Amino acid sequence: MSTKVLVIVGPTAVGKTALSIEIAQKFSGEIISGDSMQVYEALNIGTAKVSKKEQAGIPHYLLDCLPWDKNYSAFDFKNAALKIIPDITERNHLPMVVGGTGLYIQSLLEGYNLGEGTSLVDDKKSKEELWEELEKKEPALAKTTHENNERRVRRALSRGEVTNDPTDFDVFMIGLTCEREKLYDRINQRVDQMVKEGLLKEARDLYEYQKNFSEKLTVVQAIGYKEFFPYFKGEISLEEAIALVKRNSRRYAKRQLTWFSNRMEVPFYNLIDHPEEKEKLMEKITHWWKGGNDD
């Protein structure tokens, strides 16, 4: 029997946290964070990390468990999640994966092997030769990769983006979205609230910390922090830094929606503009959890 896993994805500021808590309370769920930055300790405000109060006693995993000097990848996330999910299932609870990092969630659900078995790609090879190499090594992946998309072919070969056997999950997928301008307004308002709550202190702490390392750390790529670094150097104003956070957050939300729309089969729900749809969604989850499918 396949392991049931409920997944909630969507762009930042669309309401994933609130919905996940509500579903977890109703279906004895335990939540695995599918976010690339919430795994890091003490970066709470800028990553919109769910607080202890917001968690409402629901077990959460892959939050606050990594120091800033450690790198974290889709490969790491997949391996960790594959260990956590069986433990949750053994307790007859519902494993839930919640987050907006599409590559991480896709690697888990589709069995992608990212980060191991990497090899160097011969830069002298033509795009036709590279695609033939991919077709020979990973025919399943080659079928979904156009030979003219040389960048993706090279990335697949060099980073080990290959498919393992797909994980044996019975997945109920929920994608959250809303009207684009409303989403952008929500993002702008969230950034303003983050600044009021102390985002600058988190950003300055990270700025001072990363000075001790010659190589760029994964954690400093987080939107909401790196934009303040030029401000701390005296290169831009605080207002300009905040505007950059808002702009980059909006752009990231657009990329998230594009990923989930184009790379994964995600049914989207607009619960912000149509809250009445939530009751129907809960009915679908109930049917699936009791043994039906998610249709």
Side-chain angles (χ1 to χ4, degrees):
M1 183 177 178
S2 298
T3 299
K4 289 184 178 292
V5 178
L6 186 140
V7 179
I8 302 176
V9 300
T12 183
V14 80
K16 297 187 295 294
T17 296
L19 180 64
S20 68
I21 296 297
E22 186 173 347
I23 293 175
Q25 289 174 327
K26 185 171 182 178
F27 296 95
S28 299
E30 299 187 25
I31 297 172
I32 301 168
S33 172
D35 185 277
S36 62
M37 293 298 166
Q38 291 184 356
V39 69
Y40 288 104
E41 298 169 347
L43 297 184
N44 303 323
I45 299 172
T47 64
K49 193 179 298 177
V50 56
S51 67
K52 287 293 183 182
K53 182 178 180 180
E54 290 173 322
Q55 290 177 25
I58 302 298
H60 281 68
Y61 304 90
L62 302 185
L63 294 176
D64 275 325
C65 57
L66 210 63
W68 294 353
D69 62 342
K70 300 297 183 183
N71 290 328
Y72 186 63
S73 67
F75 179 67
D76 299 319
F77 166 76
K78 184 187 77 168
N79 285 346
L82 288 176
K83 293 177 181 177
I84 296 167
I85 288 171
D87 290 340
I88 298 174
T89 301
E90 286 178 6
R91 293 191 291 275
N92 294 318
H93 286 187
L94 172 61
M96 299 171 58
V97 179
V98 181
T101 306
L103 178 62
Y104 285 23
I105 293 172
Q106 190 175 16
S107 71
L108 172 66
L109 301 183
E110 300 183 13
Y112 277 14
N113 177 8
L114 299 168
E116 64 177 0
T118 58
S119 59
L120 295 176
V121 178
D122 187 350
D123 289 334
K124 296 180 180 180
K125 287 186 177 181
S126 67
K127 63 183 180 181
E128 290 81 10
E129 291 173 324
L130 290 170
W131 189 84
E132 289 174 359
E133 181 180 347
L134 180 64
E135 186 179 37
K136 181 184 295 184
K137 291 182 176 179
E138 294 297 333
L141 183 58
K143 288 181 180 179
T144 63
T145 305
H146 196 280
E147 64 182 88
N148 288 333
N149 193 342
E150 183 177 352
R151 183 178 178 183
R152 173 168 166 75
V153 173
R154 285 185 177 277
R155 188 171 69 244
L157 290 170
S158 64
R159 293 175 54 193
E161 185 178 329
V162 299
T163 54
N164 293 326
D165 293 333
T167 47
D168 187 22
F169 294 148
D170 176 3
V171 178
F172 191 103
M173 178 74 74
I174 301 170
L176 294 183
T177 188
C178 72
E179 190 270 328
R180 187 66 57 91
E181 289 305 315
K182 181 172 291 187
L183 176 63
Y184 289 170
D185 286 342
R186 288 169 65 92
I187 290 172
N188 292 338
Q189 292 171 16
R190 170 181 276 189
V191 172
D192 288 335
Q193 185 61 33
M194 287 176 171
V195 172
K196 292 179 181 178
E197 293 175 357
L199 175 58
L200 260 68
K201 183 183 185 305
E202 285 188 356
R204 185 174 286 280
D205 289 345
L206 183 58
Y207 172 71
E208 296 297 336
Y209 181 83
Q210 59 88 32
K211 289 181 180 179
N212 300 316
F213 297 87
S214 58
E215 295 182 0
K216 184 172 289 187
L217 303 174
T218 299
V219 68
V220 301
Q221 299 305 308
I223 295 173
Y225 298 99
K226 61 183 179 181
E227 293 83 2
F228 288 105
F229 292 2
Y231 165 65
F232 298 143
K233 296 176 183 178
E235 298 172 351
I236 62 175
S237 68
L238 177 59
E239 291 73 19
E240 289 173 316
I242 293 172
L244 281 175
V245 174
K246 292 178 179 180
R247 185 201 69 181
N248 290 347
S249 297
R250 294 192 301 267
R251 289 179 175 178
Y252 179 55
K254 184 178 179 180
R255 292 196 301 271
Q256 288 174 301
L257 284 168
T258 299
W259 183 287
F260 293 123
S261 298
N262 297 343
R263 298 287 296 269
M264 302 175 67
E265 294 183 7
V266 179
F268 282 98
Y269 300 83
N270 184 347
L271 301 183
I272 293 174
D273 296 317
H274 302 285
E276 71 279 1
E277 293 297 318
K278 186 186 295 183
E279 183 176 350
K280 296 179 181 178
L281 176 59
M282 291 296 186
E283 290 175 357
K284 289 183 178 181
I285 297 172
T286 300
H287 175 68
W288 167 79
W289 182 236
K290 291 182 176 179
N293 56 40
D294 61 350
D295 296 332

